[in-house]
């Protein structure tokens, strides 16, 4: 740990806890995304067609490959597994796509309801 030799004394639990807390603070600081906001309005609006397009899962076998130096046999094996499991994967993708489509439709309906309620509120005020 930290370049210590095996001959160094053992760390106490309190020291280990302090070291872990310091490391956690450093890690959080590296990934800090700023203050959390409860504002749910989208920064850029995604079109309904794009959402519906994204809800359907259509993986491309050509995008399955290995990045290793001699990866051709690995790529061949991966694509062979996909081909062997085509029926199962097709069913899994179909189920997930159906769920995505229903969830997307529900989200679009909620957006429309919110828009109508905001219009009603604006007319009252």
């Amino acid at each position: 740990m930290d370049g210590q030799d095996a001959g160094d004394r053992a760390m106490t639990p309190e020291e280990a806890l302090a070291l872990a807390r310091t490391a956690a603070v450093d890690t959080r600081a590296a990934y800090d995304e700023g203050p959390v906001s409860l504002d749910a309005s989208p920064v850029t609006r995604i079109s309904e067609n794009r959402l519906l397009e994204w809800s359907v899962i259509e993986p491309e076998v050509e995008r399955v490959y290995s990045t290793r130096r001699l990866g051709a046999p690995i790529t061949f094996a991966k694509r062979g597994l996909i081909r062997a499991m085509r029926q199962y994967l097709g069913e899994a993708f179909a189920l997930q796509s159906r769920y995505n489509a229903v969830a997307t439709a529900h989200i679009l309906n909620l957006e429309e309801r919110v828009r109508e309620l905001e219009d009603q509120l604006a007319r009252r005020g």
Side-chain angles (χ1 to χ4, degrees):
M1 276 190 269
D2 293 322
Q4 294 180 354
D5 294 337
D8 290 351
R9 70 175 183 81
M11 188 181 299
T12 66
E14 292 79 15
E15 292 171 331
L17 180 60
L19 184 64
R21 284 185 174 151
T22 302
V25 167
D26 293 343
T27 301
R28 276 191 219 107
Y31 291 101
D32 186 21
E33 295 179 359
V36 176
S37 171
L38 297 178
D39 181 20
S41 61
V43 177
T44 56
R45 177 128 167 76
I46 300 172
S47 73
E48 293 176 9
N49 289 337
R50 177 64 57 102
L51 286 174
L52 292 171
E53 179 184 328
W54 285 346
S55 70
V56 178
I57 299 174
E58 297 175 315
E60 299 172 18
V61 177
E62 296 79 31
R63 296 187 70 181
V64 175
Y65 59 91
S66 175
T67 58
R68 297 178 188 209
R69 188 168 19 138
L70 299 173
I74 296 171
T75 298
F76 180 77
K78 286 180 179 181
R79 290 182 180 175
L81 283 172
I82 291 170
R83 184 170 173 80
M85 297 183 65
R86 184 180 2 196
Q87 181 179 3
Y88 171 79
L89 292 174
E91 183 64 24
F93 295 150
L95 288 171
Q96 186 63 52
S97 292
R98 279 193 294 270
Y99 172 81
N100 292 350
V102 170
T104 300
H106 186 67
I107 290 168
L108 294 174
N109 287 335
L110 289 174
E111 273 188 350
E112 182 61 32
R113 287 178 57 195
V114 167
R115 212 174 296 121
E116 289 172 4
L117 290 172
E118 287 174 342
D119 290 344
Q120 288 176 7
L121 186 62
R123 283 191 297 259
R124 286 185 187 173

